Amino acid sequence: MATLIGTMILAIGLPAWAGITYVGLVRARRGDELPSLRPPRRRRTPARKAAWVAGLAYLAGGAVHLYGLSYMPFLFPEDACWFGVGIKAYPDSSSALPVSLVCHGIEVVPWWVNPGLLVLAVTAVTATVTSVVLAWRGSASRGVS
């Protein structure tokens, strides 16, 4: 019981005490005034929003492709079929794009990987082109060369 109480003191009490002490030191140094207000952020332009969408689509597409590649046979091909289907055999075929692994006529990779890659790729390319066009149009309207 004493060990449990000691652990709780170390886990909860010590960090809380350290935080309270730190806040007190900061307030003492600042003079207890209100924190300064941050300047307002620049408004997000449509080009910047499109660039964010493109970046997220590239990131999600990379993650989905890595997930699909986790089914691929790299070092021990027969283990890919063993873990995917339960058959200790060499795969019939495998491909990285479109992501595919066939063992004894059974597709091992989930059905949604390739359509998901296609949707994310189209989204990423479209958003990239849109971002470039909007940025160019915005700089041309301001007279920036």
Side-chain angles (χ1 to χ4, degrees):
M1 186 68 174
T3 306
L4 179 64
I5 293 172
T7 304
M8 295 304 287
I9 289 172
L10 288 175
I12 296 171
L14 222 55
W17 174 75
I20 291 168
T21 304
Y22 176 75
V23 169
L25 289 173
V26 169
R27 279 193 174 171
R29 189 173 0 149
R30 261 198 290 184
D32 212 17
E33 73 271 359
L34 290 174
S36 61
L37 297 175
R38 290 188 212 144
R41 289 187 341 181
R42 289 188 307 165
R43 192 171 75 68
R44 280 202 179 133
T45 62
R48 186 172 288 186
K49 290 177 186 176
W52 271 101
V53 169
L56 291 174
Y58 281 119
L59 187 67
V64 169
H65 195 252
L66 281 176
Y67 176 75
L69 289 180
S70 70
Y71 286 92
M72 295 294 104
F74 290 111
L75 293 178
F76 303 105
E78 64 276 359
D79 288 345
C81 287
W82 177 256
F83 290 119
V85 185
I87 301 168
K88 187 83 166 171
Y90 196 79
D92 298 340
S93 67
S94 65
S95 172
L97 202 59
V99 182
S100 173
L101 176 67
V102 179
C103 297
H104 282 287
I106 301 170
E107 177 65 44
V108 177
V109 179
W111 65 269
W112 55 267
V113 170
N114 289 315
L117 283 174
L118 180 65
V119 167
L120 288 169
V122 168
T123 303
V125 170
T126 304
T128 300
V129 170
T130 303
S131 174
V132 170
V133 168
L134 289 174
W136 180 75
R137 202 179 274 178
S139 67
S141 68
R142 286 180 290 196
V144 177
S145 56

